Amino acid sequence: MRADLEAQNSAFQKIKNQKSLSAALGAAFWSMPILVLWAFIYQLKPGAGIAMLIISGVLIGLAVRIHGRGYERIFAFIGVLAHSCVVFSALQLDMLLGGNVLAVIVVGVYIVGAWCAMYLSLIHISEPTRRTPI
């Protein structure tokens, strides 16, 4: 009984420490350095612009996770939205496609990057192990 109470108090403390505004501002702040990195990599090798779809998703997801410390789905939404804005900005700056690439590959890599942003934005709560009495 006491272990359950301690687990609940720990969960409430973690939920209390969530900061969605900080996550949104952190994602917005880190979007510009990610775009600068994207431009630098695109200048070195234009074909690597596609790989930045995944890398930017990972970096945005980590930024949201670090700044927000969130356990709810809104943090995944913040990560996907920030990633979409970074990708749209890169597309408008002509840093996305460097050569002949099939549209199916671009869409697939974008989906993987968005999934990385969504997955890494959330901190997953591990299930406590329960012991059954013998």
Side-chain angles (χ1 to χ4, degrees):
M1 222 22 150
R2 181 156 175 84
D4 289 337
L5 184 61
E6 288 176 7
Q8 283 180 349
N9 287 338
S10 174
F12 286 136
Q13 191 67 13
K14 288 178 182 178
I15 290 173
K16 184 179 158 186
N17 288 336
Q18 297 182 114
K19 297 178 175 116
S20 58
L21 181 63
S22 178
L25 291 175
F29 173 77
W30 285 104
S31 294
M32 193 61 189
I34 290 170
L35 279 172
V36 170
L37 175 68
W38 198 323
F40 179 73
I41 290 176
Y42 187 78
Q43 290 295 321
L44 291 178
K45 178 114 175 107
I50 298 295
M52 279 302 294
L53 286 170
I54 296 174
I55 295 169
S56 66
V58 168
L59 293 175
I60 287 289
L62 290 175
V64 171
R65 183 181 198 143
I66 290 169
H67 291 288
R69 288 178 250 146
Y71 296 89
E72 296 176 5
R73 291 185 181 167
I74 189 70
F75 293 93
F77 178 72
I78 292 170
V80 169
L81 186 65
H83 179 257
S84 298
C85 290
V86 167
V87 170
F88 182 73
S89 298
L91 183 64
Q92 292 298 313
L93 294 171
D94 290 330
M95 295 187 299
L96 186 59
L97 301 174
N100 295 331
V101 181
L102 294 173
V104 173
I105 294 172
V106 174
V107 170
V109 173
Y110 170 74
I111 290 171
V112 170
W115 180 84
C116 287
M118 181 179 66
Y119 184 77
L120 291 175
S121 294
L122 289 176
I123 299 174
H124 300 283
I125 300 174
S126 61
E127 293 291 325
T129 56
R130 297 193 179 215
R131 296 182 184 177
T132 55
I134 299 176

